[in-house]
Amino acid sequence: MAARGFPYNDLKDFLAALERAGELRRVDVPVDPTLEISEVVTRTVRADGPALLFERPTRGEMPVAINLFGTEKRMAMALGVDSLDEIGARIGALIKPELPVGWSGIREGLGKVMQLKSLPPRKVNTAPCQEVVYRGEDVDLNRLPGLQVWPGDGGIFHNFGLTHTKHPETGKRNLGLYRLQQHGRNTLGMHWQIHKDSTAHHAVAERLGQRLPVAVAIGCDPVVSYAASAPLPGDIDEYLFAGFLRGERVEMVDCLTVPLQVPAHAQIVLEGYLEPGERLPEGPFGDHTGFYTPVEPFPVLHIEAMTMQRKPVYHSIVTSKPPQEDHGLGKATERIFQPLLKMLIPDIVDYDLPAAGVFHNCAIVSIRKRYPKHAQKVMNAIWGAHLMSLTKLIVIVDEDCDVHDYNEVAFRAFGNVDYARDLLLTEGPVDHLDHASYQQFWGGKVGVDATRKLPTEGYTRGWPEEMSMSSEVTSLVDKRWKEYGI
C-alpha cells in the first residue's frame, strides 16, 4: 500500500508526510552546523528517533533536514511501501525465468523491468528549482548550511548532493551520490571513487582535453535521492529506475549554464565544470566506516550558477560508524536488489548485508545446498557480481537458517565450521574507503562455509541431527501456558 501523498512532489512534501506520521521533529532553537548538529543527530539515530528539521542553523540561510532515512519504516515511507520487500517482489514478478543467468541476465532483467514499467523522465520548461538564480560573483556556497560532522574533518562538506554527469562521447547520463568538500565560496572537491561511473566520465573528458560539465542537486524527492545511491548497472538510467519506483515520471529541467538536466523540484542546484588535470587535496573526512579517510587529490568543481526554490530546505546526512542514518538506504538496496542477485546466482535463497559491516564488508547468504563445495561456488559467484565484488567476508549457511537472525547465523558460523578446512581465502578489489587493506583498492577476502558438510566433501563422521522439541509437546505447552503461571 502506497504511503499517503506518494509519490511525493518534492522534499517538502515528504517532510509533511513524515510530520503527519509523527516521524519528524522540528528543532526551533539555534543549532550550529559545525559539530553540534552532528552530535544531536547521532544521539537521535541511536535512540531510533525521528527525522529532524533544524529550523535555525547558525550558519547558512535555510533549514536543515536530516535523518530522513534512519529507520526502515521511514525508508519504506520514502519509497511509498509498507515493507521494503514489496519492491523486490514487484521486480521479481516482472522478471521472466527464461532470461539468461549471469551478469548479462541481471542487466537484461532490470532492463526488462524498466521497459515493462517504462516511466522515463519528462522535460519541463520552468521549474521550482530555478525560482531564485545566482550567477558569477553572486554564487556563494556559504548560503548553504553545510555540515562539519567530526572534529578532524577538513572543513565543511555537503553530504547529500546528487551529482549529474554525461559521458563525453556517448552522452549517457549518470546520477551519483558523492561527498562534496567546500573549498571556497564557489568551488567544491568531488570525492568520487575509483569504481564509480562519474569517475569514468571524467577520465574520458581528461583524455579528450575537455571540461566536464557537472550539476549537483540538493534536496530532491526521496525516491530520486535513493536512486542516486542504488548500485545500478552502468547502462540503466537512474531516472528511469526512479520513475519505476515512483510509478510516475520524474520531471526534469535543462540547467541554465551546462548541458545537463536536473530534477525540476530539487531544492537547490549547483551548476559548473571540472577543468582537465586539476586536483586539490580533499579530506580528511569522518566516513561511514567509522574512521577518517585520508587527504587525497580529487577534481575541483567550479560553480558558475546556483539556483534554488524561494524557500529551500537543505538536505544532508551524518556519517559515522553504525548505527547511522544510511542504515535505511543500505537495507532498501539489499531488499530491492534481492531478486536480481538471485537471478544472477540462482543458488541463493536469501541474503543479509549487516549494517555493522557498512553494507559492503560482510554478506550472509543462505543456499539450498545440493553438491560438494556448493558454498564455495556461491562465494566465488558473489565476488564476481558487480559491486558485491567488494565484499570482504561471506558467510554461507543452509536454507533453514534465517540470515537476518544474527544469533542463529553466529551459532552456525561458530559451530558448523572446521576452520582448517571450511575457509576460502582469496584476494580482490575492496572499497576505496577500506582502511584495513595493506594496499589501497585491493586486499584479502574470506568465505566461511557454515553449511552442513557432506561425505563427498570429505566429512565421514556423519553430520549430527540438531535437537528440536516434538510438535506434540510444543502444542501441549502452548495450550497450557497460562496454567503454569509463568
Side-chain angles (χ1 to χ4, degrees):
M1 180 185 297
R4 179 183 167 193
F6 186 85
Y8 310 106
N9 196 47
D10 63 3
L11 174 61
K12 294 173 188 172
D13 239 11
F14 181 48
L15 295 176
L18 291 176
E19 193 161 33
R20 287 193 301 268
E23 289 286 336
L24 175 74
R25 295 291 182 275
R26 296 174 180 266
V27 180
D28 61 3
V29 296
V31 186
D32 194 342
T34 300
L35 304 181
E36 187 179 8
I37 284 181
S38 172
E39 178 64 13
V40 173
V41 171
T42 298
R43 294 188 189 191
T44 302
V45 169
R46 291 177 182 172
D48 288 326
L52 299 173
L53 184 65
F54 292 94
E55 297 183 309
R56 297 170 62 192
T58 58
R59 192 164 33 74
E61 301 176 354
M62 60 199 70
V64 178
I66 203 161
N67 195 27
L68 305 187
F69 309 125
T71 65
E72 289 185 44
K73 177 182 178 181
R74 286 202 294 281
M75 193 69 237
M77 284 185 65
L79 300 178
V81 293
D82 292 325
S83 165
L84 295 173
D85 284 305
E86 291 178 31
I87 300 171
R90 282 170 54 201
I91 292 174
L94 291 168
I95 296 173
K96 300 300 182 185
E98 64 268 16
L99 283 170
V101 172
W103 182 236
S104 63
I106 198 170
R107 282 171 40 200
E108 285 188 40
L110 192 51
K112 193 172 189 69
V113 169
M114 299 301 102
Q115 184 181 33
L116 287 170
K117 296 289 184 180
S118 182
L119 291 167
R122 180 168 69 90
K123 181 183 173 183
V124 296
N125 294 321
T126 59
C129 70
Q130 295 173 347
E131 290 173 340
V132 178
V133 178
Y134 300 100
R135 298 176 186 255
E137 292 300 314
D138 292 328
V139 171
D140 188 355
L141 291 170
N142 294 309
R143 299 180 191 276
L144 309 180
L147 304 184
Q148 181 178 346
V149 173
W150 296 103
D153 284 356
I156 294 170
F157 286 81
H158 304 278
N159 294 336
F160 224 109
L162 277 56
T163 301
H164 301 72
T165 59
K166 274 185 182 178
H167 191 289
E169 294 177 325
T170 67
K172 176 74 177 66
R173 170 171 53 208
N174 183 67
L175 173 65
L177 181 60
Y178 317 111
R179 76 182 192 227
L180 307 165
Q181 182 174 1
Q182 187 169 319
H183 289 318
R185 67 168 185 81
N186 64 352
T187 51
L188 291 170
M190 305 294 296
H191 187 276
W192 43 37
Q193 299 161 25
I194 190 171
H195 306 106
K196 305 299 185 181
D197 291 326
S198 290
T199 309
H201 292 184
H202 186 224
V204 173
E206 288 196 312
R207 176 171 56 79
L208 298 173
Q210 298 175 0
R211 287 178 168 180
L212 182 71
V214 177
V216 177
I218 298 173
C220 296
D221 87 73
V223 173
V224 170
S225 293
Y226 167 70
S229 76
L232 295 171
D235 54 356
I236 300 293
D237 184 83
E238 287 83 3
Y239 282 105
L240 195 62
F241 184 56
F244 167 75
L245 295 176
R246 284 168 52 90
E248 185 177 283
R249 296 183 177 193
V250 178
E251 291 188 342
M252 308 284 287
V253 68
D254 288 338
C255 290
L256 301 181
T257 62
V258 292
L260 296 166
Q261 291 184 341
V262 289
H265 295 274
Q267 301 294 302
I268 303 140
V269 176
L270 310 175
E271 304 177 9
Y273 61 88
L274 307 181
E275 286 284 4
E278 183 182 17
R279 302 289 190 278
L280 280 179
E282 194 272 355
F285 179 75
D287 220 309
H288 69 287
T289 60
F291 296 88
Y292 289 103
T293 51
V295 175
E296 294 182 90
F298 276 94
V300 181
L301 176 62
H302 297 267
I303 300 167
E304 295 188 311
M306 172 191 286
T307 73
M308 60 185 68
Q309 296 191 18
R310 286 197 181 89
K311 292 184 178 180
V313 175
Y314 177 84
H315 179 207
S316 192
I317 190 171
V318 165
T319 52
S320 78
K321 74 178 189 180
Q324 195 46 267
E325 180 186 348
D326 58 3
H327 169 81
L329 295 166
K331 274 295 164 188
T333 291
E334 175 197 291
R335 295 294 89 198
I336 290 170
F337 285 83
Q338 187 223 42
L340 294 165
L341 185 63
K342 289 175 70 173
M343 183 177 67
L344 177 62
I345 310 169
D347 319 70
I348 290 175
V349 174
D350 199 1
Y351 80 123
D352 184 279
L353 304 176
V358 296
F359 295 102
H360 55 69
N361 283 338
C362 177
I364 302 165
V365 180
S366 60
I367 65 169
R368 188 171 295 112
K369 186 170 178 177
R370 294 186 290 112
Y371 47 79
K373 299 298 180 182
H374 195 167
Q376 286 77 358
K377 180 254 192 184
V378 172
M379 295 170 193
N380 285 306
I382 290 170
W383 282 321
H386 195 35
L387 289 182
M388 290 293 288
S389 65
L390 304 180
T391 308
K392 295 202 296 182
L393 170 64
I394 300 172
V395 180
I396 307 289
V397 293
D398 288 300
E399 64 178 310
D400 62 348
C401 178
D402 180 358
V403 293
H404 310 296
D405 181 344
Y406 297 154
N407 286 329
E408 178 66 17
V409 171
F411 174 74
R412 308 287 181 111
F414 299 162
N416 281 6
V417 179
D418 178 339
Y419 286 95
R421 293 174 177 269
D422 298 335
L423 299 186
L424 179 61
L425 295 171
T426 187
E427 292 180 332
V430 297
D431 190 78
H432 188 132
L433 304 179
D434 190 282
H435 62 279
S437 58
Y438 282 55
Q439 302 292 325
Q440 192 175 29
F441 307 130
W442 66 274
K445 298 159 179 283
V446 63
V448 179
D449 179 1
T451 64
R452 299 175 184 89
K453 303 310 179 298
L454 305 172
T456 47
E457 293 175 303
Y459 186 88
T460 58
R461 296 173 57 199
W463 197 263
E465 180 184 356
E466 187 175 337
M467 299 172 298
S468 63
M469 184 51 70
S470 68
S471 58
E472 293 83 5
V473 173
T474 57
S475 296
L476 172 66
V477 172
D478 285 344
K479 291 176 183 177
R480 298 196 60 196
W481 187 256
K482 291 183 181 179
E483 293 182 47
Y484 305 141
I486 299 172

